[in-house]
Each structure stands twice: as structure tokens, then as C-alpha cells.
Amino acid sequence: MSLMLKLLTTTLLLSSFVHAANVSSKIEDFLDDKFMQNPRLKSVDVKVSDVVPLKELKGWNAYIVDIKATLKHNPKALINQKMIWFSNGQLITKELVDMQSSDSLVEHVKPKFKEAYYKKENLIFGNINAKHKVAIFSDPLCPFCRAYVPGALKNMKKEPNKYAVYYYHFPLERLHPASVTLVKAAAAARLQGYKDVVEKLYNVQVNSQERDVKKILAAFNKAEGTNIKAEDLKKPAVLKEVKSDVDTGNSVMVAGTPTVYFDGKIDRTRNKYLKAK
């Protein structure tokens, strides 16, 4: 490559970088103003954490945005949220859909599943050096999870050298309030040394709208063969484990369950493990 071509290439790269940085700043200011129009918010801080060029739309980028906000009625409660916005520097939109595939481009640019997210406490079975890593985010009372997770776990458990399966509690509290208590009970049981806790979790028979902790624990202990008590759910180690799982899910922008990652990439089919060699 000639010196002139190298200089031109470097100039174009710097120009692109500066443009993206300028647009990021514009997006931060725009969203700051937009969100502060919400009368319930006391403060908002918007930061662009990543910029992903769109192959499908020349001149457009996806901007992964971290938002921190406080509420007027409860200033001590800090809201942390990730969002994806699309912009060409002049226009901005929250949604872009491919008309041919009907796919939302949001799904194409979600944050990557980092190696650091594969924590030993989330490894429910399989060898740590197995050929493939599968990460599952699930709510045990989600009907889609109950239809998918038990079978997937059963299949992958048969081949420990092929699959290392990592499981993350991701209770959808608004849809299934009882799941919050269930996942805390599961974390408590695991910390107390009980085995196969996650697999048995899908045998728990309880109304997803139940809020009575005693009733939820009775159903949990019956299915698991455990003796978890209400006070066990409040232990720091239990709360830390559940929070870690939810935080991991939020970091990769899990929006629903079950969400599956296969070898670090989101698996929208949830069945890549069936074809893996």
C-alpha cells in the first residue's frame, strides 16, 4: 500500500470516528432532553456505550445507550437501563425492521455475551472445557420456558463433554410475581448444597400470580425435596446470586424468556444445540 493510500485510509477512519463521536454526543443530548420531559423523573444521565454500523442501511449506526435515572418520589432508587437507538446523524429512531425478513434490527446489534459472564455458579452441568457453551436465561413460571427448558436441559446433560450449560435466573416479576420468590429459593437451595435444583424447579406447581411466600415455598419444597424457609431468601449470598443473574441479563438486554446464547451468540431458534457437532 502506497504512503498516499495509507494516509487517505487513516484520514477516512479518523473522519468516521470523529463523526460517530459527534453523533453520539448529539444523541446523548437529545435523549437527555427527551427523557427529562417525563414529570416523574428527577434526573437522567445518558451515555452511548457502543456504536455498531448497520450493514443493512448505509450511513446508519446502532447506538447502545446506558441510561441512569432517579425518580422524584424515590430519589434513592437508581434506575439502570440499556436501550438501542438508530441514527444517521440527522434522524433518530428506536425501531428499524427489515421488510423482507420482518426481523427487528435491534436483535442484530444487542451486546455480545462476554466470557466474564460464564461464572462457575451458573454452570449447572457439563465440563467447563466442553466444546460448546450454552447460556439460558429463564423464568421458571414462564409457559414458554416450561415448554422448552426441561427438554433442552435433559438433552444436553447427556453429553457433558459437548455442552457446558450455564443457567441464569431471570424472573419476569410483572408477568409472574411468584417467580421472584421461586428463584430466590432455588439460589438458597443451591447454596445449601442441594443438587439438580434448576431441573426440579420446572416441576413446581404454583400459580404464577401467587404472592404468599409461604404457599410458594411449600410448593417449591415439595417439588425439590428441600426445607427452604422464608428467612433463607433474605440472606446476602442469595440476594447477590439472583441480582448477578438479573444484572447479566440486563447487560445483554434480555427482553423475554427463554433467551438462549450458543457459543456467545444469541440463538433465536433456541435449537442450535440440536445440530451442533
Side-chain angles (χ1 to χ4, degrees):
M1 184 183 291
S2 68
L3 178 59
M4 183 62 72
L5 185 55
K6 286 183 179 179
L7 288 173
L8 180 59
T9 302
T10 302
T11 301
L12 288 173
L13 288 173
L14 287 173
S15 176
S16 176
F17 176 80
V18 171
H19 174 72
N22 288 337
V23 175
S24 294
S25 181
K26 285 173 64 177
I27 288 173
E28 290 170 354
D29 291 341
F30 173 82
L31 293 178
D32 265 326
D33 293 339
K34 179 179 175 65
F35 293 138
M36 280 308 296
Q37 293 173 14
N38 186 332
R40 295 181 299 170
L41 296 182
K42 180 181 179 181
S43 67
V44 177
D45 182 36
V46 178
K47 296 294 182 186
V48 173
S49 60
D50 200 5
V51 181
V52 182
L54 294 182
K55 290 183 276 188
E56 300 87 347
L57 199 57
K58 187 176 180 180
W60 283 71
N61 294 322
Y63 294 82
I64 299 176
V65 177
D66 293 326
I67 301 167
K68 294 182 179 180
T70 56
L71 299 172
K72 286 182 179 178
H73 74 276
N74 187 10
K76 292 183 179 180
L78 183 64
I79 299 171
N80 287 302
Q81 186 177 354
K82 279 184 178 288
M83 299 179 74
I84 293 176
W85 290 79
F86 302 98
S87 179
N88 65 349
Q90 294 179 315
L91 303 174
I92 186 169
T93 179
K94 194 177 176 183
E95 187 70 70
L96 282 174
V97 178
D98 186 318
M99 291 178 66
Q100 287 189 320
S101 65
S102 295
D103 287 344
S104 168
L105 297 193
V106 168
E107 296 299 324
H108 295 193
V109 295
K110 281 189 175 181
K112 295 179 181 178
F113 199 87
K114 299 178 182 177
E115 193 68 26
Y117 297 151
Y118 295 111
K119 300 176 182 178
K120 63 179 181 180
E121 58 265 32
N122 294 105
L123 181 65
I124 56 172
F125 50 74
N127 297 331
I128 194 170
N129 295 317
K131 188 174 182 180
H132 301 290
K133 291 181 179 179
V134 181
I136 299 175
F137 292 85
S138 178
D139 176 330
L141 295 180
C142 160
F144 302 105
C145 293
R146 292 176 81 89
Y148 168 80
V149 174
L153 296 184
K154 182 179 180 180
N155 286 334
M156 288 186 280
K157 190 175 184 178
K158 297 174 183 177
E159 300 183 85
N161 291 321
K162 188 174 182 180
Y163 304 110
V165 180
Y166 294 78
Y167 183 93
Y168 304 80
H169 297 296
F170 202 79
L172 304 175
E173 184 173 6
R174 291 183 181 179
L175 295 175
H176 319 119
S179 65
V180 176
T181 297
L182 279 185
V183 301
K184 289 179 183 177
R190 187 195 74 81
L191 289 165
Q192 289 183 21
Y194 288 98
K195 304 297 182 183
D196 303 323
V197 174
V198 168
E199 293 165 271
K200 295 176 183 176
L201 190 55
Y202 291 86
N203 296 327
V204 178
Q205 299 301 317
V206 66
N207 190 314
S208 65
Q209 302 303 306
E210 184 62 68
R211 295 178 183 273
D212 187 318
V213 173
K214 289 185 179 179
K215 289 182 179 179
I216 298 170
L217 283 180
F220 176 85
N221 286 325
K222 181 179 179 180
E224 296 274 359
T226 53
N227 188 30
I228 302 300
K229 299 179 174 61
E231 54 264 33
D232 294 327
L233 309 184
K234 301 176 183 178
K235 292 182 177 179
V238 170
L239 299 177
K240 180 180 178 182
E241 184 164 308
V242 174
K243 183 179 185 300
S244 174
D245 285 4
V246 173
D247 285 349
T248 299
N250 289 334
S251 294
V252 293
M253 300 184 71
V254 169
T257 57
T259 292
V260 179
Y261 281 82
F262 188 86
D263 288 342
K265 296 181 180 179
I266 193 164
D267 176 12
R268 294 180 185 85
T269 70
R270 306 186 187 103
N271 290 317
K272 283 187 177 180
Y273 75 91
L274 293 173
K275 299 178 180 179
K277 296 181 179 180

